[in-house]
Structure formats: structure tokens, C-alpha cells
């Protein structure tokens, strides 16, 4: 029950906004470096950094430089990085075998980071799109995305990542039943402490555009992902998906995209109280960067305000391409 608010002048809300000290005392939420997960794009080669045009400031890095990035992240206090591979088109097939190759780019990067920067948590992406000749997250037959066959492939992929030392697996594929299948396979293989962050409420969103450029899936993708990713009009369905994935063995749940879905973040955290994360996706990042580059908004301020919004909505953390920039700003006392 909400207590009655006394009318002005008995209450004057501006009393607690008068000075920085009073505002600090009255602040309800904080944004901390501990809340950040930094997504990184891995490519082959040595000492290669390749800018991504639609994501200013973000680069694809070869494994040696990914290790450097993880070192920087750890030095800033960022608790986790999340790896996405840019796979050479020659390795993309209809059956996506490269996805569970123990020596694929993602798995090599996991091992390299865990060898050099063991204290940082490494999160992965479990989905077939970086390896799929047709750009989809699942196996395709006659234009249909196959659910159960895809789950089998994803389990192989997840096991290879766990074997490489991943701390958190991130299934982003939206197939039904994959969390349970992965959880059972992990238990059976002795990987009982590998966590799963389910992309449980993932919407079929146009905000992913720049990411598909970054992993080289834009050109490959035939059609759209609406038969497996969610309809942006739905909210009850998100709650049911989150509940299902928690029941199947997810330790953490994610809502994606972020800013346009803060109502979902809030509902999910309020209804389940589970560790809840949002993904501030590539298109959200690109919009803020582009407007800032044009001088239309104050980029660093909008960045921090957008990240605070996730905390206010109830998220425990945020996957964001701003992670190092935000960490530096927070450490400088601007957060
Ligand atoms: C695909 C995947 C996507 C993102 C993360 N994993 C794109 C998609 O579903 O098409 C998007 C991330 C971003 O836009 O930053 N498995």
C-alpha cells in the first residue's frame, strides 16, 4: 500500500534535490562496474583489429588482442566478457559443424582468456548463426527452422564451450527445450558448475542490425527470425518463457533488446526475483554513438543515463558495448 503524500508545502520534493549531498542521500539505485558485461567480437589472425562501421568504437579483434581486452576489462573491474565469433564465410555450412569444433575461434578465445586472465568470467553465445550458411540461429530444412535437431547441435556446441573453460553459457537461439537439454548434458559431462544465462525473452528486433554486420551474418540471412524470436507486442509470453527457462535450469535470465523493453525487465525481476540481465544491443549502441558524433546529444551522459535505466528497471546487470567506457566514467565518479 502506498502511503499518502502530504500536499505542498508540507511536502516539498525539491528539499532533497537542493544539494549534491542531499541528492546522493536520496538516490535509490546505483550503477556499478560490477553490473557490466562486455561483448567482444573475435576474428582470426594475429594482432588484427578491424573496425565495425555500424558500431563506432567497436572492433573485431584477433585472439591475442581479445586477451588484451580481457586484461583491460579485469583491470577496470568489469566482471565478465561475452564472446561472439566472426567466422570466415568458407567455414559456414548448412550443418554448422564448425559450431562445436573444439578449435573454433570462440573456443580458442575462451581458452586463451582463461589461461591469461582467469579471474574474469567468460560468457559465450550458443546459437548457430555465426556458422550457418543461411544466417539463421537454427538448422534449416525446406525453409523451416528445425527445433529439436537444432537443440542437439546446440548441446554439442555448449559442451565444447564448457570444455574450453567457459563460466557462463549464453543460449541466444530461442529454440524450445534447449536449456533443459544443455543442463542435463552439462551435469552428465561433469560440468555441474557451468552457469547458463538464458536469452529467455529475446525479441525479433530490428535493433540487431549492426551486430549482424559485426559477425558477418547480415549478407547470409535469408528471411527473418520471427518463427523463433518473440513478437515485440508480447509481454505475458516473456514471463512464461522466463519461468520455463528457470524451471529447465537457467541460473540467470536475459531480456533483449534493452531500452525498448524496460517494462519486460521490470516485470521479470518483480515476478521472479532471479538474476536478471538486459542486453543493450548493437542498434541501441549505434544510435547513441551516431547522435553523439553529430553533436546532437552528450554521448557520455546519455550512455550513463541509459545504463542507470536498466538498474532502475530492476536489472542486476547489462551486456553493453559501452562497458569499458562506462567503467572508466564510473571510476572517475561520473556514474
Ligand atoms: C544471434 C545473436 C544476435 C545478437 C546476439 N546473438 C542477433 C540475432 O539474433 O540476430 C544481437 C546482439 C546485438 O545486436 O548487439 N544469436
Amino acid at each position: 500500500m502506498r502511503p499518502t503524500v502530504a500536499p505542498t508545502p508540507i511536502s516539498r520534493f525539491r528539499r532533497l534535490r537542493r544539494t549534491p549531498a542531499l541528492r546522493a542521500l536520496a538516490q535509490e539505485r546505483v550503477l556499478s562496474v560490477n553490473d557490466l558485461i562486455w561483448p567482444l567480437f573475435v576474428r582470426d589472425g594475429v594482432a588484427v583489429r578491424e573496425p565495425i562501421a555500424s558500431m563506432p568504437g567497436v572492433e573485431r579483434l584477433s585472439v591475442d588482442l581479445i586477451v588484451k581486452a580481457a586484461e583491460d576489462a579485469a583491470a577496470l573491474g568489469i566482471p565478465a566478457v561475452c564472446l561472439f565469433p566472426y567466422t570466415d564465410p568458407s567455414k559456414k555450412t548448412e550443418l554448422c559443424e564448425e559450431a562445436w569444433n573444439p578449435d573454433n575461434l570462440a573456443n580458442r578465445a575462451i581458452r586463451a582468456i582463461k589461461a591469461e586472465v582467469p579471474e574474469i568470467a567468460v560468457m559465450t553465445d550458443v546459437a548457430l548463426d555465426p556458422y550457418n550458411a543461411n544466417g539463421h540461429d537454427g538448422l534449416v530444412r525446406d525453409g523451416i527452422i528445425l527445433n529439436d535437431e537444432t537443440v542437439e547441435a546446440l548441446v554439442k556446441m555448449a559442451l565444447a564451450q564448457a570444455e574450453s573453460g567457459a563460466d557462463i553459457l549464453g543460449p541466444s537461439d530461442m529454440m524450445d527445450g534447449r536449456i533443459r537439454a544443455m543442463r542435463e548434458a552439462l551435469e552428465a559431462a561433469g560440468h555441474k558448475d557451468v552457469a547458463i544465462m538464458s536469452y529467455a525473452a529475446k525479441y525479433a528486433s530490428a535493433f540487431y542490425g549492426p551486430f549482424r554486420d559485426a559477425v558477418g551474418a547480415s549478407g547470409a540471412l535469408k528471411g527473418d527470425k520471427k518463427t523463433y524470436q518473440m513478437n515485440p507486442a508480447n509481454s505475458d509470453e516473456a514471463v512464461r518463457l522466463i519461468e520455463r527457462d528457470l524451471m529447465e535450469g537457467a541460473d540467470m535470465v536475459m531480456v533483449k533488446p534493452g531500452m525498448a523493453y524496460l517494462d519486460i525487465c521490470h516485470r521479470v525481476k518483480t515476478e521472479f526475483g532471479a538474476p536478471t540481465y538486459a542486453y543493450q544491443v548493437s542498434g541501441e549502441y549505434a544510435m547513441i554513438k551516431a547522435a553523439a558524433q553529430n553533436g546532437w546529444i552528450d554521448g557520455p551522459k546519455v550512455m550513463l543515463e541509459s545504463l542507470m535505466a536498466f538498474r532502475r528497471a530492476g536489472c542486476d546487470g547489462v551486456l553493453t558495448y559501452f562497458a569499458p567506457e562506462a567503467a572508466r566514467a564510473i571510476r572517475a565518479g561520473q556514474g
Side-chain angles (χ1 to χ4, degrees):
M1 241 233 316
R2 183 179 293 282
T4 312
V5 175
T8 306
I10 298 169
S11 72
R12 283 185 188 273
F13 282 89
R14 290 185 57 192
R15 285 181 199 126
L16 297 188
R17 295 188 206 124
R18 188 170 55 86
T19 68
L22 293 169
R23 288 197 292 276
L25 276 175
Q27 178 161 330
E28 297 176 29
R29 297 282 187 275
V30 273
L31 174 67
S32 143
V33 175
N34 290 337
D35 306 325
L36 305 172
I37 300 175
W38 187 16
L40 293 168
F41 297 106
V42 197
R43 53 152 295 151
D44 58 11
V46 178
V48 191
R49 50 172 83 243
E50 185 183 17
I52 299 156
S54 51
M55 299 179 74
V58 177
E59 298 166 314
R60 300 184 192 111
L61 303 172
S62 52
V63 172
D64 53 318
L65 295 181
I66 283 284
V67 172
K68 288 260 172 344
E71 277 166 7
D72 294 346
L76 286 166
I78 295 170
V81 293
C82 181
L83 302 176
F84 293 96
Y86 173 84
T87 308
D88 191 87
S90 69
K91 293 199 171 124
K92 298 188 186 195
T93 60
E94 298 279 327
L95 292 177
C96 310
E97 295 97 333
E98 182 66 8
W100 51 92
N101 176 356
D103 290 319
N104 72 19
L105 255 183
N107 292 332
R108 277 190 277 135
I110 297 169
R111 288 195 294 271
I113 295 174
K114 292 285 29 167
E116 302 294 328
V117 202
E119 68 273 24
I120 202 156
V122 176
M123 176 171 164
T124 65
D125 182 52
V126 188
L128 300 180
D129 53 321
Y131 310 100
N132 201 339
N134 51 52
H136 278 289
D137 292 20
L139 300 169
V140 185
R141 191 186 303 139
D142 302 329
I144 305 284
I145 318 300
L146 305 172
N147 193 86
D148 300 4
E149 291 86 338
T150 299
V151 170
E152 280 176 34
L154 295 171
V155 165
K156 287 190 262 183
M157 184 176 180
L159 285 174
Q161 294 173 349
E163 209 59 55
S164 303
D167 298 286
I168 306 169
L169 306 184
S172 67
D173 55 287
M174 289 295 281
M175 297 299 123
D176 285 313
R178 86 274 206 222
I179 302 297
R180 181 180 185 149
M182 272 175 216
R183 179 51 75 208
E184 283 174 355
L186 289 168
E187 286 288 327
H191 296 299
K192 61 181 170 38
D193 290 328
V194 173
I196 298 178
M197 183 190 295
S198 172
Y199 287 60
K202 176 171 177 180
Y203 289 86
S205 172
F207 284 103
Y208 307 149
F211 172 96
R212 292 180 190 165
D213 297 339
V215 297
S218 308
L221 183 63
K222 295 192 182 69
D224 58 44
K225 300 191 176 185
K226 290 182 185 170
T227 69
Y228 47 107
Q229 299 181 347
M230 283 180 67
N231 181 345
N234 295 358
S235 170
D236 292 340
E237 186 188 357
V239 172
R240 298 175 72 214
L241 283 165
I242 298 273
E243 180 169 25
R244 193 265 315 262
D245 283 3
L246 287 169
M247 297 292 289
E248 287 191 10
D251 306 282
M252 311 153 103
V253 289
M254 190 206 292
V255 174
K256 178 182 175 200
M259 280 178 76
Y261 297 83
L262 289 173
D263 57 323
I264 309 296
C265 296
H266 185 255
R267 235 189 123 177
V268 164
K269 185 63 186 180
T270 309
E271 294 197 21
F272 299 102
T276 302
Y277 301 81
Y279 199 141
Q280 184 178 49
V281 301
S282 55
E284 303 177 57
Y285 173 87
M287 289 193 305
I288 295 174
K289 280 288 176 189
Q293 282 182 348
N294 276 298
W296 295 339
I297 59 171
D298 180 326
K301 285 198 176 130
V302 170
M303 164 185 78
L304 290 170
E305 186 177 329
S306 68
L307 293 172
M308 183 64 86
F310 293 109
R311 298 287 291 139
R312 194 190 59 242
C315 292
D316 295 288
V318 191
L319 286 93
T320 176
Y321 302 99
F322 286 118
E325 211 178 320
R328 273 182 233 109
I330 293 166
R331 289 169 74 106
Q334 289 148 24

